[in-house]
Amino acid sequence: MKANINRHFAAFAIAVSCTFSVLASPFKCVIDGKTTYQDAPCDADVKARGGESKVAPPTAANNRSDDQTNVTSQKENMRRDALVKSDLEPMARETFAAVKAGQLQLYREKLCPKMRQTLIRQDVVAGFKQESADYTKKKTELVRVESANNITVTFVATEANDAKLASGKEKLSVAVYFQWDNGSPCITHMSSWRTTLSK
């Protein structure tokens, strides 16, 4: 049954991941083999080595450049980063609570508009209900934020009566993924996984 749940959510996650785009600023700079995006032109030495390209400005209609990359200014990224602790972390906790409690309507309200449409599929709804039942049965609780940025909040979680988690042999992580719709965060999906810890 667990494999079936994971397949439902894996299919859901794959469908969602197809909607993600790379967030970028107008200048693409390749420095020591690493690609970065920034609002200002690349440094002179990077330009001299041919490591700069100008990403075409987005059109007003779709906020996309000619190469179909989402373009987000550095100022907008800073604004989003400032909202991580005050808005995204609480929203991620509320989303987990809605899933655990089986509150499909509340979960739907937090989803991005395109993702809400997936909840008409019976397999996605069944996966939601099964995940809800699993979280409830295992008494899964979020312990603390492990990492957070403006597209993902990851928690360390625990489950009642789980010897491997209690002993520190394994770690349970729950991640909530965001996208930005007209300047506001919305949820694309959640995932959870276990990591075996070496001692």
Side-chain angles (χ1 to χ4, degrees):
M1 188 187 303
K2 183 71 173 171
N4 198 17
I5 297 163
N6 289 336
R7 270 183 285 182
H8 288 300
F9 276 96
F12 182 63
I14 290 167
V16 169
S17 66
C18 292
T19 66
F20 280 120
S21 297
V22 177
L23 297 176
S25 293
F27 291 91
K28 177 180 175 182
C29 304
V30 180
I31 304 167
D32 296 328
K34 294 181 181 176
T35 302
T36 62
Y37 296 89
Q38 57 192 47
D39 286 337
C42 305
D43 292 336
D45 63 324
V46 173
K47 284 184 196 177
R49 290 181 291 179
E52 175 183 78
S53 63
K54 177 88 166 124
V55 177
T59 64
N62 64 8
N63 197 38
R64 288 185 178 268
S65 65
D66 289 342
D67 67 356
Q68 295 302 302
T69 303
N70 276 349
V71 177
T72 306
S73 71
Q74 186 175 20
K75 184 177 179 180
E76 174 62 11
N77 274 331
M78 290 172 58
R79 182 188 76 81
R80 292 176 182 186
D81 288 343
L83 296 175
V84 170
K85 193 132 188 92
S86 64
D87 292 17
L88 273 62
E89 287 181 20
M91 191 173 176
R93 286 183 184 278
E94 291 166 5
T95 301
F96 173 80
V99 172
K100 182 179 174 184
Q103 296 174 325
L104 184 61
Q105 185 57 36
L106 182 58
Y107 177 65
R108 180 176 302 174
E109 290 169 8
K110 296 186 178 306
L111 288 176
C112 297
K114 288 183 180 177
M115 298 318 304
R116 286 185 200 134
Q117 297 170 5
T118 65
L119 289 178
I120 62 171
R121 290 182 31 204
Q122 291 303 313
D123 61 330
V124 175
V125 172
F128 172 88
K129 289 178 180 177
Q130 186 60 56
E131 192 73 7
S132 172
D134 284 351
Y135 284 146
T136 301
K137 180 181 177 183
K138 295 175 182 177
K139 298 181 181 174
T140 306
E141 297 293 336
L142 303 179
V143 177
R144 63 179 169 80
V145 174
E146 181 174 35
S147 64
N149 58 44
N150 69 33
I151 57 171
T152 311
V153 176
T154 304
F155 298 93
V156 172
T158 189
E159 294 175 348
N161 304 319
D162 189 302
K164 290 182 179 179
L165 293 175
S167 69
K169 292 180 180 177
E170 288 186 354
K171 177 178 73 170
L172 175 62
S173 300
V174 175
V176 180
Y177 301 89
F178 294 86
Q179 202 170 43
W180 292 78
D181 184 50
N182 294 320
S184 297
C186 56
I187 305 294
T188 59
H189 66 289
M190 280 180 37
S191 65
S192 60
W193 65 94
R194 286 178 174 256
T195 307
T196 301
L197 304 174
S198 58
K199 288 199 172 193

